[in-house]
Amino acid sequence: MAEILLSVKNLKKHYPVKSNEHLFRYDYLKALDGVDFDIYEGETLGLVGESGCGKSTTRRMLLRIEPPDEGEIYYRGADVLALAGAELKSYRRNVQMVYQDPYASLDPKWKIINLITEPLRIHAIGDAGSRKEKALELMRLVGLRDDYISAYPHEFSGGQRQRICIARALALDPQMIIADEPVSALDVSIQAQVLNLFKELKQRLNLTYLFISHDLNVIRYISDRVAVMYLGKIVEIASTEELFARPAHPYTKALVKAIPIPNPQEKLDFKVLGGEVPSPINTPAGCPFHPRCEEVEDKCRVEPPDFISLSGTHSAACHLVRVPI
């Protein structure tokens, strides 16, 4: 069994918002409300859920862009939230980011050589010559020609820009990459190429990924394990094969049944999930999914469910789940 690279325990982030009822009081938007998961060295953990469920907030907490209100984050056993100075800089060197919109994350006034070598300059690695050689090496690694090195971001297609972003993320030889919807802004054919690049780089460089997406087909293709998020909580986590073959939580079942089938002649056999996602300001008592669950019981309305282990790699937070005998 691989070692745990990154561990998240009871992570919470509540944002104050002005109350509609009381002029001088605040309510709290519960973006994260007790998130727990582990990422093992060398694996790809897919994080999936509807828009607004807390996926990107989780990413910001892991990168120390924002501090959580409660909870713990450990990287190789070290408390990430306690890191400062050189130790924090070392953590950020080892955990890099690929964003959703490649054009928005690239300075349009900078040439590609400057964009890729910027992390090396920040961390004072090498001189101008060695940095240029590193940039060329990374460009070849992600499938870009050497003569692109003096071009500007507007001269590239969306897929090429994302390759530039990946090259920049790899400049510091990180151990882990957090990818937040990295293919959602790309055409479907280009998505496949970029996903294959991610898989190839993982094998060649022994990388670990946290891959965030709302697209279950993408998650199914890229991930070793999948964590399903709903209203600021993880509701199910399992190996990819297990989760798609035998989803346990009613929300996961609805997501899996709603995956589009690439055959217009084949009829989908599922009911549209009713209701709206509850407000993260006024979250329901008990199970957060119970207002939309067709299998809801009285217990679900008042008592938050604990995680139940269904196998060594499969757990779900649901009162309806039965432990196999």
Side-chain angles (χ1 to χ4, degrees):
M1 187 72 175
E3 292 185 1
I4 293 175
L5 183 67
L6 188 139
S7 183
V8 174
K9 301 181 185 299
N10 195 36
L11 206 62
K12 294 184 180 181
K13 185 64 178 180
H14 297 174
Y15 294 99
V17 293
K18 283 203 172 178
S19 171
N20 290 328
E21 298 178 3
H22 304 283
L23 185 60
F24 300 107
R25 293 187 185 177
Y26 285 86
D27 292 324
Y28 287 88
L29 187 153
K30 299 175 182 176
L32 297 180
D33 201 24
V35 171
D36 298 86
F37 62 84
D38 295 325
I39 302 177
Y40 293 91
E41 191 168 0
E43 80 163 345
T44 299
L45 177 68
L47 185 60
V48 68
E50 293 171 283
S51 296
C53 70
K55 304 186 299 295
S56 293
T57 304
T58 301
R59 178 257 297 173
R60 291 197 297 272
M61 301 298 108
L62 298 185
L63 292 171
R64 284 281 304 268
I65 295 173
E66 293 183 69
D69 297 323
E70 293 182 36
E72 300 169 303
I73 304 170
Y74 292 96
Y75 178 80
R76 293 196 179 279
D79 184 354
V80 171
L81 301 178
L83 298 179
E87 291 181 334
L88 178 58
K89 195 172 184 179
S90 175
Y91 170 72
R92 286 178 168 157
R93 176 176 175 173
N94 282 311
V95 180
Q96 288 289 301
M97 178 74 208
V98 176
Y99 291 93
Q100 177 177 358
D101 186 345
Y103 192 66
S105 60
L106 297 173
D107 190 326
K109 302 186 294 295
W110 281 22
K111 294 180 179 181
I112 301 310
I113 184 172
N114 303 118
L115 291 166
I116 294 178
T117 58
E118 182 186 21
L120 300 173
R121 292 194 302 274
I122 290 172
H123 288 263
I125 298 173
D127 55 21
S130 63
R131 290 171 192 163
K132 181 178 180 180
E133 285 303 314
K134 180 71 171 181
L136 289 169
E137 177 188 334
L138 291 167
M139 288 174 65
R140 295 173 195 135
L141 186 64
V142 300
L144 295 172
R145 300 202 316 258
D146 288 6
D147 56 341
Y148 288 163
I149 197 165
S150 297
Y152 292 90
H154 72 270
E155 300 179 62
F156 296 90
S157 67
Q160 289 173 322
R161 290 184 198 126
Q162 196 60 287
R163 290 173 186 267
I164 294 166
C165 293
I166 294 169
R168 182 175 60 180
L170 295 174
L172 297 173
D173 299 318
Q175 297 174 339
M176 179 177 171
I177 288 181
I178 299 174
D180 191 354
E181 302 275 10
V183 298
S184 63
L186 307 178
D187 293 339
V188 174
S189 59
I190 305 302
Q191 284 185 15
Q193 294 177 20
V194 174
L195 288 173
N196 286 332
L197 175 61
F198 271 110
K199 295 188 81 168
E200 178 186 345
L201 293 172
K202 177 187 173 183
Q203 296 300 320
R204 291 182 63 173
L205 304 177
N206 193 30
L207 293 169
T208 301
Y209 293 140
L210 174 62
F211 206 95
I212 300 170
S213 180
H214 65 274
D215 189 330
L216 267 76
N217 279 324
V218 167
I219 289 292
R220 186 174 196 169
Y221 181 72
I222 198 75
S223 303
D224 300 306
R225 290 191 303 135
V226 180
V228 180
M229 201 168 195
Y230 184 80
L231 208 62
K233 296 178 181 286
I234 302 292
V235 297
E236 185 165 2
I237 188 164
S239 67
T240 304
E241 181 180 353
E242 178 80 9
L243 185 128
F244 283 91
R246 288 172 290 278
H249 195 282
Y251 177 62
T252 310
K253 292 176 184 177
L255 290 180
V256 171
K257 285 184 178 180
I259 296 174
I261 297 173
N263 182 355
Q265 306 300 323
E266 189 170 344
K267 188 176 179 180
L268 291 176
D269 181 24
F270 78 99
K271 293 180 69 175
V272 176
L273 191 61
E276 297 289 334
V277 179
S279 168
I281 298 174
N282 298 307
T283 53
C287 173
F289 187 65
H290 86 255
R292 305 174 72 190
C293 182
E294 293 187 346
E295 306 172 51
V296 62
E297 297 177 352
D298 290 341
K299 186 179 183 180
C300 305
R301 296 185 174 94
V302 295
E303 187 177 328
D306 294 324
F307 259 91
I308 296 174
S309 179
L310 303 173
S311 68
T313 60
H314 194 174
S315 299
C318 179
H319 291 303
L320 307 176
V321 172
R322 304 290 182 257
V323 179
I325 298 176

